């Protein structure tokens, strides 16, 4: 392969990263902006994540690679590296990143380089870890405990962070999504749709969920950025619904999941929804 | 395919074309005047209140003080509790209708007075997943249970806890 071709391919790989997830994450405690919010990487590729201090004080951010798992309820939980299975922890050895600590002046940004190196013997499939961006609290900034003259006082400093998934796919694992058990409920002035997102195959699925009239084009309610990771064969999704919008809808309803993962080809799955 | 991904693919194509041009500038005779702008959405997490256990006078027996998400306090038997209490509260703003997960990374923490005295705190939130509203707003609270030891030494105790907002 010629130099130019290699160079072009590298540029393509870099360019593809922000295109996959055109959103950015932002958190306070030294306001933090992270873009993009999701990385899907091929073996032996590179990418980058931009970190920007959107706050008004110089802040140090620590970057780490952590394990998270999804539950059947769709929540994301921490996984202790020490107790994780070899398969679950494999991504930690595939993904490199630098730097791991950044100090940024207000409005300053820096790129964190992400690399993926997959040994040729690695079995095909999807491997995932999560990049955690966290502001290191300023010691002087921590809420000063009150002098305790009449007992004890307590000061708790919260540290907030943002995590984004880094997904490594080896050998184009297949996957598909479908919807099941969609049920609409209205109680105490609240309307909600509960539905199970079913996942098959070896890769995660990711997309947007809409509730709409069976013959309509405009969603009544929408959730974006919903995933089902490979560790769950199904996950629950609760979609809150504006009752006014629901009242305007006539006739039968359906729920639709449009995959936005680039590996999905924009696959759409639908299921009918019974009105209560 | 969604409109957004079409735009994103368009941008990729533009970048690719740009890269190709920069490598062989001699062939870049007829550049068109395309301009692209990509509007990025952001999410922000801000603290709206501290988790505050108020003031406590310990007793001869160990007991707990629990602050619920509605800021109410349950003062363990034997303890004297006074002062205002609040649950930890965080506001989230971001893209309309986007879902994020919320987790307390270290739900069991230890507070110290800088010396040898310590107290354990258990933290919890009832919000594990959140869908931001049509205007991109959301919030969650953190409740806590403080374990006060028998004859706990008076002083100023401090500690840290970590909350993370996760994209899927």
């Amino acid at each position: 392969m010629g130099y130019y071709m290699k160079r072009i391919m590298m540029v393509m790989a870099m360019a593809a990263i922000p295109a996959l997830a055109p959103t950015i994450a932002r958190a306070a405690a030294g306001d933090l902006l992270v873009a993009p919010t999701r990385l899907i990487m091929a073996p032996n590729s590179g990418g980058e994540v931009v970190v920007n201090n959107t706050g008004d004080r110089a802040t140090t951010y620590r970057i780490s690679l952590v394990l998270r798992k999804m539950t059947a309820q769709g929540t994301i939980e921490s996984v202790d590296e020490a107790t994780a299975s070899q398969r679950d922890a494999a991504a930690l050895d595939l993904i490199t990143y630098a730097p791991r600590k950044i100090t940024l002046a207000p409005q300053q940004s820096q790129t964190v380089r992400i690399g993926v190196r997959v040994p040729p013997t690695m079995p095909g499939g999807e491997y995932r870890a999560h990049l955690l961006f966290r502001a290191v609290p300023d010691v002087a900034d921590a809420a000063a405990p009150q002098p305790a003259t009449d007992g004890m006082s307590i000061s708790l400093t919260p540290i907030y962070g943002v995590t984004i998934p880094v997904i490594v796919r080896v050998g184009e694992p297949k996957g598909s999504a479908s919807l099941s058990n969609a049920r609409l409920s209205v109680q105490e002035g609240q309307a909600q749709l509960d539905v199970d997102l079913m996942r098959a195959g070896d890769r995660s699925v990711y997309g947007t969920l809409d509730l709409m009239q069976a013959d309509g084009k405009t969603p009544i309610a929408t959730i974006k950025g919903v995933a089902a990771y490979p560790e769950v064969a199904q996950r629950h999704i609760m979609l809150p619904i504006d009752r006014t919008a629901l009242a305007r809808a006539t006739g039968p309803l359906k729920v639709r999941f449009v995959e936005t993962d680039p590996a999905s080809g924009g696959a759409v799955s639908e299921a009918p929804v019974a009105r209560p | 395919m969604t409109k957004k991904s079409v735009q994103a693919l368009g941008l990729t194509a533009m970048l690719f074309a740009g890269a190709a041009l920069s490598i062989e500038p001699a062939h870049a005779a007829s550049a068109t005047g395309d301009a692209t702008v990509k509007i990025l959405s952001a999410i922000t997490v801000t603290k709206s209140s501290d988790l505050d256990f108020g003031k406590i006078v310990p007793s001869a027996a160990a007991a707990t003080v629990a602050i619920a998400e509605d800021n109410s306090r349950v003062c363990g038997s034997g303890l004297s509790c006074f002062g205002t209490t609040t649950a930890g509260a965080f506001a989230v703003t971001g893209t309309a209708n986007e879902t994020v997960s919320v987790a307390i990374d270290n739900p069991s923490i230890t507070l110290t007075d800088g010396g040898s005295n310590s107290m354990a705190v258990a933290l919890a939130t009832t919000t594990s997943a959140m869908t931001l509203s049509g205007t991109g707003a959301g919030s969650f609270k953190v409740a806590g249970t403080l374990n006060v030891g028998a004859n706990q030494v008076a002083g100023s105790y401090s500690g840290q806890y970590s909350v993370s907002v996760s994209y899927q």
Side-chain angles (χ1 to χ4, degrees), chain B residues 42-68:
Chain B
I43 188 153
T44 311
V45 184
T46 49
K47 179 185 71 178
S48 37
S49 82
D50 276 312
L51 174 56
D52 187 346
F53 288 95
K55 288 195 188 301
I56 299 154
V57 178
S59 73
T64 60
V65 178
I67 309 300

Side-chain angles (χ1 to χ4, degrees), chain A residues 4 7-9 11-12 15-16 18-29 31-33 35 37-38 68 70 73-78 130 132 134 137 142-143 145-148 150-165 206 208 222-229 235 238-240 258 260 266, chain B residues 1-2 4-5 8-9 11-12 15-16 19-20 22-24 38-47 49-58 82 90 93 95-105 109 111 119 121 123 128-129 131-132 146 148 152-168:
Chain A
Y4 286 152
R7 166 110 202 230
I8 287 168
M9 291 189 70
V11 171
M12 274 184 81
L20 296 179
T23 50
I24 52 181
R26 190 168 168 172
D31 286 1
L32 163 68
L33 179 152
T37 55
R38 190 163 218 267
R68 294 278 193 269
M70 183 171 274
Q73 287 303 305
T75 60
I76 293 181
E77 296 182 345
S78 293
H130 297 251
L132 170 62
R134 174 162 285 163
Q146 303 297 314
D150 50 358
M152 61 186 80
S153 70
I154 287 139
S155 149
L156 273 168
T157 308
I159 306 166
Y160 353 116
V162 166
T163 75
I164 65 168
Y206 180 77
T208 300
T222 297
I223 305 189
K224 294 173 181 165
V226 181
Y229 290 148
R235 63 155 290 184
M238 193 279 281
L239 175 59
V258 180
T260 52
Chain B
M1 186 176 283
T2 64
K4 195 181 253 180
S5 64
L9 287 171
L11 183 77
T12 310
L15 287 171
F16 179 44
S22 69
I23 293 165
E24 297 182 272
K38 194 160 147 190
I39 306 299
L40 300 175
S41 53
I43 188 153
T44 311
V45 184
T46 49
K47 179 185 71 178
S49 82
D50 276 312
L51 174 56
D52 187 346
F53 288 95
K55 288 195 188 301
I56 299 154
V57 178
F82 48 99
F90 299 85
T93 53
T95 307
N97 306 317
E98 190 155 44
T99 184
V100 293
S101 299
V102 175
I104 298 171
D105 299 322
I109 60 169
L111 304 178
M119 284 187 283
V121 176
L123 301 163
S128 54
T131 302
L132 302 178
L146 174 71
V148 182
Q152 183 81 41
V153 175
S156 299
Y157 290 81
S158 62
Q160 295 176 345
Y161 67 100
S162 299
V163 175
S164 61
V165 176
S166 293
Y167 285 80
Q168 296 178 8

